Amino acid sequence: MAKDARILMTFPVTATSHRLDEARARGQYTALEKALKTMTPTEIGKEVTASGLQGRGGAAFSAGRKWSVIQLDDGQPHYLCANADEGEPGTFKDRWILENSPHQLIESMVIAAYALQVRHAFVYMRGEFSGPYERLQGALDEAYAAGLVGERILGTDFSCDILIYRGAGSYVCGEASALITSIEGKRGYPRNRPPRLTVKGLYQRPTVINNVETLSNIAWIVNHGSAAFKAIGTPKAPGTRLISISGHIARPGVYEIEYGYSWKRLIYDDCGGMLEGARLKCVIPGGISTKVLTGEEVEGLNLDPAEVEAAGSSMGSGGMVAIAEGTCMVRLLQVLLRFYHHESCGQCTPCREGMGWMHRIIDRIVAGQGRLEDLDRMIQISRLQDGNTICGMGDAAGYAVIGILAKYRHEFEHWIKNGSSMFEGNLECRRSS
Amino acid sequence: MNPALIPEFDRLKARFPADFGSSLVLPCLRRIQEDRGWIAEEDIAGLAAYLGVPRIQIEEVLSFYTQYRRSPVGRWHLEVCRNVSCSMRGSERLLGHLCKKLGVKEGGSTPDGRFTLKTAECLGSCGTAPVMVVNDVYHENMSPEKVDELLGRLD
Amino acid sequence: MPQIFIDGQPFEARTEQTVMQVADENGIYIPRLCWHPQLSIAGNCRICVVQIEGRSWVEISCNMPVSEGLRVLTDTELVRAHRKATMQFLTLNHPVDCGICDKAGECTLQDYHVAYNGEASISHEPKVVATKFYELSSRITLDNERCILCTRCVRFTREVSQSHALGVLDRGDHSVIRPAGGEGARPLEQDAYSDNIIDICPVGALLSRQFLYKERVWYLKATPSVCPGCARGCTIDIWHRRPEWALKSLDPRHNASISRVTPRDNPAVNGPWVCNKARDLAQLLERPRAHAPMTRGREVGLDAALAAARALIGKARHPVALVSSWASNEELQAFKAAFGARFTCFVKADHQPAEDEVVQDGLLIRADKNPNGDTARALFGDAAPTFAPDTDLVLVWGEGADFARLPRGVPVILLGAFLAPENGHAEVFFPLSVMTERRGHYTNFQGITSAFEACFAPAPGVVHAVQVFEKLALREAVTS
C-alpha cells in the first residue's frame, strides 16, 4: 500500500492558497452544501462515528462518541470549541491548518455546529499565534461575506457564528475544561469531572471541544463518506495525521501521513534524515508528554497508534522531536521540567507541589549536587501524580520523567557521580564527524 | 481606561451570546494592552466597572496569563523561546548573545528603554527554531547573525 | 433512592448526593481539606480519595455522585498510599511552624499528618518561601507559606459573603491568596463576615489578629452561648480558660475573660457562620463593670439597696418600667411575675445600630441590635416608651435609656451591668450580671430559642436580675 493519501495537505502552499476563491476551487464548501441541504444532524453524527475519527489533539478519543452525548433536542444552547491552543512543545501542526487551510476548518466547524445544533462556535487560539489569527480571521471575514457562516447559511434555516477567542499565554488552557473556563473570562483552571463537558461545559451548557485537526477532517468525511475515511490509515486508526517534526532533523516541518506509515521513511526520506548526517539517538513521538523512544525502536515501528502504544509510548499531539547522538538527556529533561513547573496552574496539590519539586531536583543534579536517590524520587513523584490530579498535566510530566529515565538513566547517574554531563550539557546537534 | 475603547467593546460584546459578559475580560484586556502598552490600575477599575465583574477576577486573570503586563516594557519587546526544539537549535546561545549585546539580564530592559528581553515557552513554531518574538511578531530561523541584522533595522 | 456500599456496608443515598456526603451521614470519616458543606466543590486537595471496588486507581469522593450499586472502599492500601502521598506533597513546602502557630491543636493538617503520614519529609529541597505576615485586614493576618491553596477562603468571599475580596494570584507553586485591589488594599475591612475564613481555613494560614499569640487552644474551653448582637441570635462558642488551667493571677479578670468567639453550627439559624460583631463580644461584655449597689451614688450593701427600692416601689402610684431587650427569657418571666401588674412596662432597645455597623443584610445581620426584643415585646407590648405626667417612679433595666427624656424629679431605680455616670444619679442602683455569668435562653426573631451557658462565676458584687426581682416582689406578692 502506498499509504500516501491526503486529506488536509492536498495542495501546494502559495501566498494566496489560503483564500476563499482558491479554497473553493479545491472543492471547499461542497461538503457544507451537502450537509445542510441533504443531511440531518443525526445523519452527520452517525457518519462521524462510523468513520472512526479519533481526536488528534493528544487524547485520541472517538469524536463521534463525544458528539453523541449531546442531546439535540434538549432545548438548551450547545457550544462547539475548536482547540487551537497548540501549546504542547514540539507541536505546530494545527498552525498549518490555521494559516494555510483555514477554510477547511471553517467549513468543518459549520458542519459540526449543524450536527450538534450549535449556534455559537469558538476557536480558542493561543494568544501568541498572531499570524494564524490574522489568517483565520481573514478567512472568517471572507466566509461571512459569502454567506458561508452567520445568519441563514447558504440560504437554509441554519445560523451559526464563529468567534475566535484568543488566549493570553497559558499551556494548561489547551486542556479542554481549562479552555472553556478561560473562555468564561477566568483563570485557566481545569475542572473535575463529573460533570462531563458534553453535559455541562461552557457556562454549564453542553459543549464539544475538538482539536483543530480533528474538526478539519469533518468536511472530507461528509464529502467522501465514512467508508472512504476508514479505507485510509489502519482499521483502528483511520485517516491521516499531521505530524510536526522538529529538533535535529534536516527538513523540519509539517507532514501529513496515513496512520500506519513507516516511521523510518518519514525521518530519512521525507524529512531528509538527521542534520549533518548525525545519528538518531531518540525521538519524542508526540509532544513532550509522550515517552521517549530510542532511534532503534523508532526505526522498527510504523506510525500506528497501536504499535506506538505497544512500544510503550503514544503518538500524542503529533509533535515529534528528533534528537541526535551527543545530546544530553539530563539537560533535556531539565528544559521539560522547567516548562511544566512554569505552566502548572497550581490548583491541585500533586501537580502544584510535585512540578516544583522535580524541577528543583533536576536543577540540583545539573548544578552538580545530585544524589542517586534523586532518580527514584523523581519516578516516585511522577507515579504519585499519575491519575491523582485534576487534569492530565500531572500525568504528563510523569511520562516525560519516567520515559527518559527508563532509557537514559546512565546519563543521570554519570552526572550525579561525576558532577558533569556525559555530553558537556549539550542540546544542539553536533556534527557527526 | 481609555473611553475611546468603549464603542469597540460594545461591538465585541454584541457578538457574544447574551450571558457571556464575563468572557470579555480576556479580549478587552488584550485590547487595552495593545492601546496603552500595558495594563494600568485605572484600566482594571474601569474594565471591572464596564463589565460589571468583580475586580478580583480581572486581577486573577492578569496574574495568570503570561502575555499581560502591568508595567511598561521597552519599545521592542523581545521574547526568545527556551523550550525543547528551540534549545536544540541554539536558542540558549541566541539568548546569551542578546544578553551580551544589549547588556541586560533575562527579564531586563535596556536603560534607554528600547529593548526588553524575556524568555518564552514553546511558541508553536518548532519547525523554524530557534524562534524569537518581537512585539508579538514571530521571527523564525534566527541566529546570532540574523539577530544582529534585525536589531540593526529596529529604531 | 440508590443504594451504595461503603467498605462493604450498604447505605441508602439520595440521588443528588456524593459519596462523601453519604459517608458523613453514616459516621464514616473521609478526610477532606478543600471540601466544605456550604461551599462549592473545588476538588483540589485530593486527600478525600477513595477506591471504587474493582478499579486500580483512586478518585476523589467529594465530587463522586452516587449510583445504584456503587461500591467504594475508603481505606485500602492504595487509598492509604495516595493519602500519604498527598500529605507529603502538602507538607513539602509547608513551614514547620507548629511551635509558633496559633492553629496548633486544632489544625487539620497536623491531625492528618499524624493520621496519614507520620514521617519526616522525603525532600531534600529548600522550601518555597512566601509572605508570612500579610495584613489582609485589621482583623486577619495571612501566612502564604502555610497556605495549602484549598481556596475555601476565596470561595467564601465569592459565594457566601459575596464581598469578592479574595482571589488567587500567579500560578503553580507561586500561587498566593491576595485581596482585591492590590498591595495595601483591604477589602475585607468592609466584609462583615470576614472572620469566618479564619474558622474554615484548615491550616494556620488565616489567623485572627486579636487572638494572635494569646492562648494555646488546648488551655481553652468552648462554652455554648448565643450572640446578643442582634435579633438573629446566632449560636456561638465562647472560648475561655479551662478551670483546671486557670492562670495563677491576683487579678480575677484574667480567668474571667473571653479569649475568642467562634460560630456554633446551627442549621436552623446561622449555619456555620457568624458576623464579626460576635467575634468582638469581649469588647461588649468586658466593659468596666459596676460592682456595688448604690443609693444616690453611695455604695451600700445589697439588703440596704433592696430595702430602699422596696420603699420606692411601695410608695409609687404610677410606676413605669423600661424593660431590657437584652434580658433572657427567664429574666423577662421573672420581671413579669414580679412587676407586670404593678408597673406600666415598655420595652426599650438597649442597643441601636452604630454608625459604622451594617444595619441589616440578606445573610445574618438584623436591624434590631438586641437579642430578645421580640420575647420582651410579646410580654410587655411594643409601644414606644411614654411617660404620663403622673409618673412617679421609673425603673430602668439595662442600657440604652435616654435619661434626658425621663420625667424630671422622678426617682429612678436603675439596674445595669456596666459602669456609667447614670448609676450614681439613680435613687437606687443594682449591679447586674452579664450573660456569660449565668445560664439563660434567648428567642430570636424567627421564634427559635437557644440556650447560653455560664462561662464564669459572677464578678464580685454583682447580682442576678432574677434574684433582685424575686426579692423585690416578695412584699408585693403579699399585698396583690
Side-chain angles (χ1 to χ4, degrees):
Chain A
M1 266 198 283
K3 285 224 163 273
D4 56 2
R6 294 282 177 270
I7 290 175
L8 296 164
M9 299 175 80
T10 55
F11 56 95
V13 172
T14 68
T16 56
S17 49
H18 58 281
R19 296 203 316 219
L20 179 58
D21 49 353
E22 293 198 33
R24 277 222 221 246
R26 293 194 293 270
Q28 225 70 72
Y29 294 104
T30 51
L32 181 62
E33 188 102 34
K34 177 178 176 186
L36 291 187
K37 295 192 174 162
T38 72
M39 298 173 78
T40 65
T42 313
E43 282 166 352
I44 298 172
K46 285 209 169 99
E47 272 293 272
V48 171
T49 305
S51 74
L53 175 68
Q54 292 167 329
R56 278 126 164 82
F61 192 75
S62 156
R65 238 203 5 209
K66 187 187 283 186
W67 285 22
S68 68
V69 181
I70 303 291
Q71 287 168 343
L72 296 178
D73 52 1
D74 60 3
Q76 37 168 347
H78 308 145
Y79 297 110
L80 171 68
C81 299
N83 188 340
D85 195 61
E86 192 145 70
E88 185 67 36
T91 318
F92 49 100
K93 49 92 181 171
D94 292 330
R95 183 177 163 197
W96 188 95
I97 298 173
L98 297 168
E99 288 185 323
N100 301 315
S101 196
H103 284 289
Q104 193 152 10
L105 173 64
I106 294 172
E107 181 186 13
S108 296
M109 281 185 75
V110 181
I111 296 171
Y114 173 65
L116 297 167
Q117 293 293 281
V118 164
R119 178 66 185 79
H120 290 91
F122 298 89
V123 178
Y124 186 91
M125 192 184 301
R126 61 178 299 175
E128 299 86 344
F129 269 359
S130 318
Y133 167 72
E134 299 294 334
R135 278 285 170 98
L136 184 64
Q137 187 58 58
L140 276 170
D141 293 341
E142 287 181 310
Y144 268 96
L148 299 161
V149 64
E151 298 280 342
R152 300 188 53 80
I153 298 169
L154 292 178
T156 66
D157 281 331
F158 181 64
S159 305
C160 171
D161 279 307
I162 299 179
L163 281 93
I164 302 176
Y165 196 90
R166 298 187 70 181
S170 165
Y171 163 72
V172 73
C173 287
E175 195 276 340
S177 62
L179 186 153
I180 57 181
T181 307
S182 184
I183 295 182
E184 290 180 1
K186 303 178 198 148
R187 292 159 70 83
Y189 272 4
R191 303 179 186 184
N192 283 290
R193 278 44 148 220
R196 283 177 294 177
L197 302 179
T198 40
V199 175
K200 285 189 198 280
L202 185 55
Y203 290 104
Q204 300 301 306
R205 302 293 192 189
T207 305
V208 167
I209 295 115
N210 281 134
N211 170 262
V212 160
E213 184 189 350
T214 312
L215 279 169
S216 300
N217 279 280
I218 301 292
W220 193 99
I221 291 172
V222 165
N223 254 339
H224 297 89
S226 56
F229 189 78
K230 277 196 88 76
I232 303 172
T234 74
K236 286 224 175 92
T240 63
R241 189 65 197 272
L242 293 185
I243 304 284
S244 47
I245 183 162
S246 63
H248 298 147
I249 197 89
R251 289 199 288 270
V254 181
Y255 297 83
E256 184 174 13
I257 52 111
E258 267 195 60
Y259 272 126
Y261 192 77
S262 159
W263 209 328
K264 198 165 169 183
R265 265 187 76 191
L266 175 66
I267 292 177
Y268 293 109
D269 295 348
D270 302 290
C271 298
M274 301 300 286
L275 270 181
E276 316 279 341
R279 216 153 64 79
L280 175 64
K281 175 170 181 169
C282 59
V283 174
I284 298 175
I288 63 169
S289 312
T290 55
K291 289 185 187 161
V292 72
L293 292 172
T294 65
E296 288 84 52
E297 290 175 304
V298 154
E299 285 165 12
L301 289 170
N302 295 312
L303 285 161
D304 173 356
E307 281 190 44
V308 180
E309 273 156 43
S313 185
S314 160
M315 284 185 70
S317 65
M320 194 180 291
V321 182
I323 299 164
E325 283 294 357
T327 306
C328 176
M329 298 305 284
V330 181
R331 284 252 289 127
L332 196 104
L333 183 60
Q334 184 187 34
V335 170
L336 304 188
L337 289 175
R338 178 179 62 189
F339 168 74
Y340 285 119
H341 184 198
H342 185 256
E343 298 295 335
S344 169
C345 77
Q347 207 188 166
C348 68
T349 306
C351 173
R352 178 182 69 243
E353 304 296 340
M355 299 299 191
W357 193 356
M358 291 197 287
H359 184 200
R360 283 188 282 278
I361 291 176
I362 195 136
D363 275 357
R364 187 161 49 74
I365 293 174
V366 167
Q369 286 158 7
R371 302 168 207 218
L372 281 174
E373 69 205 56
D374 288 335
L375 304 181
D376 285 335
R377 181 71 71 225
M378 283 201 287
I379 293 175
Q380 180 191 19
I381 297 168
S382 302
R383 294 232 167 88
L384 291 172
Q385 286 184 338
D386 192 2
N388 206 15
T389 50
I390 297 179
C391 81
M393 173 132 87
D395 317 343
Y399 300 149
V401 169
I402 290 174
I404 290 176
L405 279 175
K407 305 258 156 76
Y408 297 101
R409 192 180 185 107
H410 56 282
E411 292 192 33
F412 292 79
E413 288 174 346
H414 180 276
W415 203 321
I416 288 168
K417 286 185 191 141
N418 300 296
S420 63
S421 164
M422 280 175 74
F423 304 104
E424 294 163 343
N426 172 59
L427 287 172
E428 295 189 57
C429 183
R430 296 196 161 138
R431 300 214 145 89
S432 57
S433 53
Chain B
M1 185 171 83
N2 181 356
L5 294 172
I6 304 254
E8 210 182 306
F9 292 170
D10 287 340
R11 285 193 297 276
L12 181 62
K13 199 192 243 177
R15 300 188 55 216
F16 280 85
D19 46 356
F20 272 53
S22 174
S23 296
L24 281 137
V25 170
L26 271 81
C28 288
L29 284 173
R30 174 177 285 278
R31 192 63 195 90
I32 291 170
Q33 182 163 290
E34 264 169 36
D35 184 56
R36 187 195 287 282
W38 50 292
I39 312 278
E41 163 56 40
E42 65 214 58
D43 295 321
I44 300 173
L47 187 60
Y50 169 75
L51 292 176
V53 300
R55 75 164 275 156
I56 189 69
Q57 180 181 341
I58 297 176
E59 290 168 311
E60 286 188 317
V61 161
L62 283 175
S63 70
F64 182 84
Y65 296 95
T66 58
Q67 286 199 301
Y68 297 125
R69 335 182 249 270
R70 292 193 55 172
S71 57
V73 291
R75 188 169 156 71
W76 302 107
H77 185 217
L78 312 176
E79 297 168 280
V80 178
C81 174
R82 64 178 187 179
N83 210 300
V84 60
S85 296
C86 285
S87 296
M88 289 165 68
R89 300 294 285 242
S91 71
E92 291 180 342
R93 273 189 300 118
L94 196 67
L95 182 65
H97 176 80
L98 275 163
C99 285
K100 202 156 148 224
K101 189 170 172 82
L102 298 175
V104 297
K105 287 215 269 272
E106 186 228 312
S109 300
T110 55
D112 62 3
R114 280 177 75 216
F115 297 105
T116 297
L117 178 64
K118 296 210 188 114
T119 53
E121 294 293 349
C122 180
L123 295 162
S125 195
C126 326
T128 53
V131 172
M132 187 166 95
V133 183
V134 180
N135 286 6
D136 298 334
V137 174
Y138 281 24
H139 290 263
E140 300 168 81
N141 296 308
M142 295 305 284
S143 64
E145 296 74 39
K146 289 204 186 150
V147 155
D148 288 346
E149 192 238 345
L150 170 65
L151 293 182
R153 279 190 279 126
L154 299 176
D155 58 342
Chain C
M1 290 275 286
Q3 184 187 65
I4 71 167
F5 294 82
I6 303 179
D7 298 332
Q9 299 256 60
F11 297 106
E12 289 299 311
R14 297 187 295 284
T15 40
E16 74 279 7
Q17 282 186 306
T18 61
V19 167
M20 182 187 269
Q21 287 170 322
V22 178
D24 280 348
E25 273 179 13
N26 291 285
I28 297 174
Y29 186 72
I30 298 177
R32 80 290 305 271
L33 290 160
C34 68
W35 185 81
H36 188 280
Q38 304 271 330
L39 301 173
S40 61
I41 296 171
N44 62 47
C45 73
R46 318 308 284 185
I47 194 95
C48 72
V49 292
V50 296
Q51 188 175 3
I52 293 180
E53 284 185 36
R55 290 192 186 173
S56 61
W57 62 91
V58 294
E59 297 163 73
I60 56 177
S61 58
C62 63
N63 191 44
M64 187 184 287
V66 296
S67 58
E68 179 62 40
L70 178 68
R71 304 185 70 96
V72 303
L73 302 165
T74 68
D75 204 25
T76 62
E77 292 254 344
L78 189 64
V79 169
R80 290 188 196 177
H82 272 280
R83 277 196 204 138
K84 184 170 176 144
T86 302
M87 286 310 301
Q88 284 164 344
F89 282 128
L90 284 169
T91 52
L92 182 75
N93 291 307
H94 190 86
V96 189
D97 278 354
C98 300
I100 54 166
C101 176
D102 273 6
K103 202 81 176 181
E106 55 180 19
C107 172
T108 316
L109 201 69
Q110 266 187 342
D111 294 343
Y112 287 178
H113 175 76
V114 170
Y116 305 121
N117 182 13
E119 280 178 15
S121 175
I122 53 175
S123 163
H124 294 295
E125 317 315 312
K127 294 185 183 248
V128 171
V129 297
T131 318
K132 287 196 78 67
F133 289 100
Y134 190 98
E135 285 187 9
L136 275 184
S137 73
S138 56
R139 308 177 65 89
I140 305 176
T141 180
L142 164 65
D143 186 316
N144 289 112
E145 288 183 358
R146 299 174 188 169
C147 175
I148 59 168
L149 287 161
C150 71
T151 68
R152 277 182 174 184
C153 57
V154 174
R155 284 175 280 142
F156 178 84
T157 61
R158 236 186 248 159
E159 297 161 20
V160 181
S161 71
Q162 300 193 7
S163 62
H164 298 281
L166 296 176
V168 184
L169 298 189
D170 295 343
R171 340 194 259 225
D173 59 7
H174 293 285
S175 302
V176 281
I177 303 292
R178 278 289 177 271
E183 200 65 40
R186 292 179 168 199
L188 278 179
E189 299 283 11
Q190 274 73 52
D191 185 338
Y193 298 91
S194 66
D195 290 21
N196 289 298
I197 65 177
I198 300 168
D199 302 331
I200 61 179
C201 179
V203 301
L206 291 167
L207 296 175
S208 162
R209 293 179 69 185
Q210 70 194 53
F211 186 63
L212 196 63
Y213 304 143
K214 295 251 166 70
E215 294 280 8
R216 275 312 190 185
V217 299
W218 50 85
Y219 294 141
L220 303 179
K221 181 177 168 197
T223 297
S225 191
V226 182
C227 175
C230 79
R232 177 75 59 176
C234 300
T235 49
I236 53 178
D237 278 324
I238 295 185
W239 296 74
H240 54 101
R241 277 247 158 189
R242 293 177 178 278
E244 61 267 32
W245 286 110
L247 287 167
K248 296 192 176 11
S249 163
L250 293 175
D251 185 346
R253 284 176 300 179
H254 280 150
N255 287 306
S257 62
I258 296 172
S259 299
R260 69 174 181 183
V261 175
T262 56
R264 179 166 271 251
D265 190 45
N266 188 338
V269 178
N270 51 304
W273 317 124
V274 281
C275 77
N276 291 346
K277 188 172 183 181
R279 313 269 177 182
D280 295 339
L281 270 187
Q283 285 169 26
L284 268 179
L285 297 174
E286 290 172 5
R287 288 172 286 160
R289 300 285 299 282
H291 284 294
M294 295 190 287
T295 51
R296 291 200 193 156
R298 259 183 337 130
E299 286 190 13
V300 299
L302 181 59
D303 290 333
L306 284 167
R310 258 186 231 119
L312 284 172
I313 293 170
K315 276 195 325 210
R317 299 286 141 242
H318 301 283
V320 170
L322 300 181
V323 174
S324 173
S325 49
W326 276 51
S328 66
N329 294 351
E330 292 79 1
E331 291 172 330
L332 291 169
Q333 290 292 346
F335 191 87
K336 177 98 181 174
F339 304 116
R342 194 86 168 74
F343 279 71
T344 304
C345 299
F346 299 100
V347 177
K348 76 170 149 55
D350 291 31
H351 283 232
Q352 302 285 355
E355 223 178 79
D356 56 350
E357 198 179 354
V358 172
V359 177
Q360 185 151 308
D361 67 18
L363 201 53
L364 294 178
I365 300 174
R366 303 287 302 174
D368 181 1
K369 301 302 181 193
N370 306 283
N372 220 8
D374 284 353
T375 313
R377 283 183 285 273
L379 286 172
F380 302 108
D382 56 9
T386 51
F387 301 97
D390 58 359
T391 303
D392 53 7
L393 173 67
V394 178
L395 186 149
V396 178
W397 176 19
E399 299 180 276
D402 185 355
F403 282 87
R405 294 190 49 232
L406 295 189
R408 297 192 140 261
V410 170
V412 171
I413 300 175
L414 179 57
L415 304 100
F418 302 103
L419 275 188
E422 293 77 29
N423 301 354
H425 296 305
E427 281 296 315
V428 190
F429 171 77
F430 292 96
L432 294 183
S433 60
V434 293
M435 64 183 292
T436 46
E437 294 164 336
R438 55 187 146 81
R439 177 165 207 281
H441 292 78
Y442 285 143
T443 302
N444 79 350
F445 78 105
Q446 299 163 310
I448 298 172
T449 302
S450 305
F452 55 88
E453 305 294 330
C455 304
F456 315 115
V462 309
V463 289
H464 294 308
V466 166
Q467 286 161 352
V468 173
F469 302 150
E470 284 169 359
K471 291 211 157 93
L472 286 180
L474 273 175
R475 288 289 178 81
E476 299 302 305
V478 171
T479 53
S480 61

